[in-house]
Amino acid sequence: MTTLHLSDGIIKDEILVVALSHKKSIRDGKANLVIESGDIALDSKKLLPILADMGATGKADEVIKIPGITTRLLVFTGIGEHKAVIEDETLRRAAGAAARGLSGSSSATFSLPTKKLASLEAVAEGVLLGSYAFDKFRVDSLAQRHPSLKAVTIHSKLAGSAGAKDALKRATIIGEYTALVRDLINTPPSHLNPESFCKEFTSLVKKVGGAGAGLKVSVMTHTQLKAKGFGGITAVGQGSANPPRLLHISYRPVKVKAKKSYAYVGKGITFDSGGLALKPAAGMEAMKSDMSGAAAVCASTIAIALMKLPVAIDCYAPLAENMISDNATRPSDIITMYGGKTIEVLNPDAEGRLVLGDALVKAQENKDLDGIIDVATLTGAQVVALGTRTAAIMTNNQEFSDHFFAISKTAGEAFWPMPLPVELRASLDSAVADMANIGERMGGMMVAGLFLKEFIAPELPWLHLDIAGPAYNEGEPYGYTPVGGTGVALRSLVALAQSAAIS
Ligand code: BES
Ligand code: ZN
Ligand code: MN
């Protein structure tokens, strides 16, 4: 990963990155460029005509490189319309786009407007998130890849302030654990299955200090899951040669009292073929990302522990591979979920809600919870409703949802509240069991949410985050978001724990 430094002195790198915005002139309506170079003064008179000649617009995701004056290279990263107060997410994206555009270079100084520590932290995050690359499986083609920026110095007047170092530390943790989520998502099912997912986190927990860091891991095997009645996880996993698991990571703050206690539950389908409701071949490869929720909740739990936040987290990842075999769950099979509810599996491709139902019930055995959050690439309907960049929040508690929504905004993640209309619930009624696993097709995202709601104690504040669209980027990279796994939800889950710490 790129290493970060702070400076408020002279620039030592050969590359200087600054921001560029545009401002409509009141006089002639023309768009004028504005160089926003933070605490470094640049000769705008000289540079603006060059930028104009180059066709610079200052729009987001525009990265322009010109020969520098005092440095070898001067890089302008677009932040869009000129504003007196620049949003942190704008800076995060601009820093990310520039870092991405500088792969192959060894070091650079970033001088973007950082009037407050949160902005400095956002720039640092953007640099780390934007310089991510996934080259683990390249051999012959590795030589043609540009390596990520090795070192970045963030130039800011705040560099020497008490909080700057801590801000950088936090950004480094976010960068490192977002990269882990992305790596896991990008790793194909040939190399990531329920068992290896558990091994990854078991050794990671050990590496970061285990019990000394307040972390504990436990894993339930296929045999244990069957014996204990986890009918959902078992039903989804039984068609695969790679048996299912239930991973539990708990974090308890060391020596301080937890101010809040949350359960984080993430869907961990390491590959979703659709099972006997086999998905079409076109696009099926994206279903290696169906464990994005599990990766996000597990990695965020480790990040929260490393930040030593005074919250208790019980993280559960129900892991299974949804495959076809003579042992696979058939449409019409009836299963008994953990806790006793019976489900008629009308569609084996609606498997996420089955593994989550079990894990949600298990998580609620902790009676001290202040809230429970599940994170899942649950429905194609989510992508239809909100597109590929916005995730959905569904809830049984408006206050919790409003709080999380506000938090996610500060973290720079796009979530949007969606309802759980009661009238859709009846569509999940089964002719033969307590409930069916599919209902009305229209509003399928909300139907899935209503299914999960049946597994939640009514008085427990609950959020269901459907991240089907934003978890995996099949389009072009933008801002700090690469192609493939994005790591969405991690920053919000960490920020929620941070907000509990200061409340
Ligand atoms: N993993 C998929 C949902 C998904 C779709 C995630 C596209 C990311 C991108 C999920 O298991 C699924 O197959 N859902 C079905 C549910 C349906 C059968 C009720 C769907 O959305 O089609
Ligand atoms: Zn799925
Ligand atoms: Mn499915």
Side-chain angles (χ1 to χ4, degrees):
M1 203 171 68
T2 310
T3 54
L4 295 177
H5 307 275
L6 285 165
S7 166
D8 55 1
I10 51 161
I11 301 159
K12 291 179 184 148
D13 292 308
E14 292 294 353
I15 301 173
L16 174 61
V17 180
V18 300
L20 188 66
S21 67
H22 55 79
K23 187 181 188 177
K24 237 197 193 121
S25 145
I26 335 168
R27 228 171 347 108
D28 53 11
K30 267 201 211 147
N32 293 318
L33 296 172
V34 185
I35 295 173
E36 315 224 17
S37 50
D39 302 316
I40 291 173
L42 289 178
D43 189 350
S44 287
K45 245 199 189 140
K46 187 166 171 187
L47 291 166
L48 287 176
I50 303 173
L51 287 166
D53 284 345
M54 293 197 68
T57 65
K59 284 185 186 154
D61 272 306
E62 179 186 79
V63 175
I64 290 190
K65 301 173 185 175
I66 65 170
I69 306 165
T70 51
T71 56
R72 195 167 69 222
L73 204 64
L74 194 47
V75 182
F76 295 89
T77 183
I79 55 170
E81 203 178 311
H82 173 81
K83 283 187 180 140
V85 181
I86 307 168
E87 276 183 38
D88 291 337
E89 174 64 359
T90 304
L91 294 170
R92 198 180 279 111
R93 289 189 186 193
R100 199 156 41 74
L102 285 170
S103 63
S105 304
S106 69
S107 68
T109 291
F110 279 59
S111 183
L112 307 185
T114 50
K115 289 194 181 139
K116 51 184 176 52
L117 278 172
S119 310
L120 188 147
E121 192 166 334
V123 170
E125 281 182 5
V127 166
L128 297 177
L129 299 175
S131 58
Y132 172 85
F134 186 71
D135 290 329
K136 228 190 223 161
F137 292 91
R138 292 179 186 276
V139 179
D140 288 354
S141 60
L142 191 62
Q144 285 106 57
R145 298 282 294 182
H146 296 300
S148 311
L149 259 177
K150 274 195 219 46
V152 164
T153 299
I154 294 168
H155 197 281
S156 168
K157 248 191 222 144
L158 301 173
S161 71
K165 251 193 173 162
D166 287 340
L168 228 60
K169 246 191 227 158
R170 281 194 301 268
T172 305
I173 293 172
I174 293 289
E176 194 167 330
Y177 287 90
T178 301
L180 172 63
V181 178
R182 291 172 176 178
D183 281 351
L184 290 168
I185 296 171
N186 294 334
T187 302
S190 51
H191 292 73
L192 185 75
N193 56 45
E195 188 189 11
S196 61
F197 188 104
C198 292
K199 279 200 176 134
E200 181 83 30
F201 278 99
T202 307
S203 53
L204 179 61
V205 163
K206 213 186 245 169
K207 200 188 99 187
V208 300
L215 288 164
K216 273 192 209 143
V217 193
S218 66
V219 178
M220 287 180 78
T221 63
H222 192 189
T223 320
Q224 290 168 325
L225 289 167
K226 258 194 283 193
K228 291 258 159 71
F230 288 83
I233 303 174
T234 303
V236 175
Q238 71 192 28
S240 170
N242 299 305
R245 294 281 186 274
L246 178 60
L247 172 65
H248 176 206
I249 306 174
S250 83
Y251 165 63
R252 296 291 180 273
V254 180
K255 284 184 197 152
V256 294
K257 222 180 139 250
K259 291 192 175 170
K260 282 268 160 40
S261 174
Y262 294 121
Y264 289 175
V265 180
K267 173 178 174 182
I269 302 299
T270 54
F271 189 72
D272 182 11
S273 72
L276 285 170
L278 188 64
K279 288 182 181 294
M284 199 200 275
E285 69 281 358
M287 286 300 117
K288 70 172 179 179
S289 69
D290 215 16
M291 32 53 68
S292 299
V297 295
C298 293
S300 66
T301 302
I302 311 281
I304 289 165
L306 292 179
M307 292 184 190
K308 300 188 167 69
L309 297 174
V311 292
I313 306 285
D314 274 299
C315 165
Y316 286 91
L319 297 148
E321 195 180 52
N322 191 21
M323 296 291 277
I324 296 180
S325 78
D326 54 0
N327 217 21
T329 296
R330 294 150 293 233
S332 81
D333 276 356
I334 295 177
I335 62 173
T336 303
M337 304 281 285
Y338 189 65
K341 238 189 256 311
T342 61
I343 304 293
E344 182 186 15
V345 182
L346 289 177
N347 190 327
D349 196 13
E351 84 296 340
R353 57 198 80 180
L354 300 179
V355 301
L356 286 171
D358 274 357
L360 286 168
V361 172
K362 177 70 188 166
Q364 287 168 89
E365 287 177 356
N366 175 355
K367 297 298 169 200
D368 295 331
L369 294 179
D370 293 300
I372 185 165
I373 303 184
D374 72 76
V375 187
T377 48
L378 204 62
T379 63
Q382 192 279 324
V383 198
V384 175
L386 289 171
T388 55
R389 294 191 188 184
T390 307
I393 315 176
M394 284 153 270
T395 190
N396 64 356
N397 184 303
Q398 198 54 47
E399 205 183 317
F400 193 28
S401 174
D402 290 348
H403 177 60
F404 182 85
F405 178 60
I407 290 286
S408 68
K409 239 181 165 166
T410 64
E413 293 190 317
F415 279 89
W416 199 255
M418 282 290 171
L420 289 173
V422 281
E423 67 274 14
L424 287 175
R425 168 60 188 85
S427 72
L428 285 163
D429 287 345
S430 161
V432 289
D434 294 341
M435 202 165 40
N437 78 326
I438 56 168
E440 159 89 56
R441 197 173 75 87
M442 296 296 168
M445 166 181 58
M446 303 180 289
V447 173
L450 286 162
F451 180 93
L452 295 179
K453 193 177 176 198
E454 294 293 322
F455 296 89
I456 305 290
E459 68 283 357
L460 179 64
W462 159 69
L463 304 178
H464 162 48
L465 309 179
D466 193 336
I467 59 167
Y472 191 69
N473 178 18
E474 293 185 76
E476 293 296 313
Y478 60 93
Y480 53 76
T481 305
V483 169
T486 63
V488 74
L490 177 131
R491 294 209 305 277
S492 299
L493 292 171
V494 172
L496 178 72
Q498 278 168 333
S499 81
I502 51 176
S503 69

